């Protein structure tokens, strides 16, 4: 429901784009698009893994469905990043999910700052920043799916 609400917000903001300066409107639209894609990416962490499905078929039930780890399961020496707990050893789908979900905040703060500068290049700077931010999301997603850590 949240994903559909975010996705429908893109159309609402685009249709009513006269309510805010163009740079703010575009920041909201780009941020909502990236955020919606990242929200759908979150479903990849809830799908049962092959090991979980095998255990369920053998009658052990399915106490846990999905995983944010990609690649070799973590060992006892598994290292994580302080504060966030993201893996430093294997692929972790939480990283691109976090980056994508916070695209709206990042791009909106950037747009407000750029708008205050009153420069003609502000809108193009925002568009380039949104493309780069989307690229960072895609890069971290591909890296996680390949089982590689962020660091």
């Amino acid at each position: 429901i949240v994903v559909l609400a975010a996705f429908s917000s893109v159309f609402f903001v685009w249709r009513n784009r006269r309510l805010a300066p163009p740079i703010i409107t575009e920041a909201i639209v780009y941020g909502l698009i990236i955020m919606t894609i990242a929200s759908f990416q979150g479903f990849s962490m809830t799908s049962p893994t092959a090991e979980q499905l095998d255990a369920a078929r053998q009658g052990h039930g399915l106490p846990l469905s999905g995983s944010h780890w990609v690649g070799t399961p973590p060992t006892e020496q598994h290292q994580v990043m302080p504060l966030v707990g993201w893996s430093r050893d294997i692929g972790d789908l939480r990283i691109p999910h976090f980056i994508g979900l916070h695209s709206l905040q990042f791009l909106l703060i950037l747009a407000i700052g750029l708008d205050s500068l009153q420069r003609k290049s502000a809108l193009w700077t925002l568009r380039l920043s949104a493309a780069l931010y989307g690229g960072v999301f895609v890069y971290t997603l591909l890296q996680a799916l390949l089982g590689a850590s962020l660091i």
Side-chain angles (χ1 to χ4, degrees), residues 107-122:
L107 293 173
L108 192 53
I109 290 169
L110 178 65
I112 291 169
L114 289 170
D115 191 44
S116 69
L117 295 175
Q118 298 291 321
R119 305 233 174 169
K120 292 183 179 185
S121 62

Side-chain angles (χ1 to χ4, degrees), residues 1 6 27 40 61 64 66 97 120 133 135:
I1 292 173
F40 279 114
L64 180 67
H97 190 64
K120 292 183 179 185
Y133 195 94

Side-chain angles (χ1 to χ4, degrees), residues 37-119:
I37 294 167
S39 297
F40 279 114
Q41 179 263 321
F43 291 121
S44 66
M45 293 184 276
T46 61
S47 301
T49 63
E51 295 83 17
Q52 292 167 343
L53 289 174
D54 287 341
R57 287 187 193 109
Q58 294 173 5
H60 300 294
L62 192 63
L64 180 67
S65 178
S67 175
H68 48 82
W69 311 115
V70 178
T72 310
T75 63
E76 289 182 19
Q77 294 83 19
H78 182 241
Q79 295 185 7
V80 297
M81 293 179 209
L83 188 63
V84 291
W86 297 336
S87 176
R88 293 180 61 184
D89 300 328
I90 59 177
D92 193 337
L93 291 169
R94 294 176 297 178
I95 299 168
H97 190 64
F98 175 86
I99 290 170
L101 289 182
H102 292 284
S103 61
L104 180 59
Q105 291 94 339
F106 175 80
L107 293 173
L108 192 53
I109 290 169
L110 178 65
I112 291 169
L114 289 170
D115 191 44
S116 69
L117 295 175
Q118 298 291 321
R119 305 233 174 169

Side-chain angles (χ1 to χ4, degrees), residues 6 9-34 103-104 107-112 114-115 122-123 126-127 130:
S9 297
V10 172
F11 296 109
F12 174 78
V13 170
W14 190 250
R15 285 185 141 192
N16 298 298
R17 58 185 173 265
R18 294 179 308 268
L19 298 177
I23 193 166
I24 303 297
T25 302
E26 285 199 31
I28 292 170
V29 169
Y30 298 143
L32 283 170
I33 289 170
I34 296 169
S103 61
L104 180 59
L107 293 173
L108 192 53
I109 290 169
L110 178 65
I112 291 169
L114 289 170
D115 191 44
L123 195 55
L126 174 76
R127 291 173 181 161

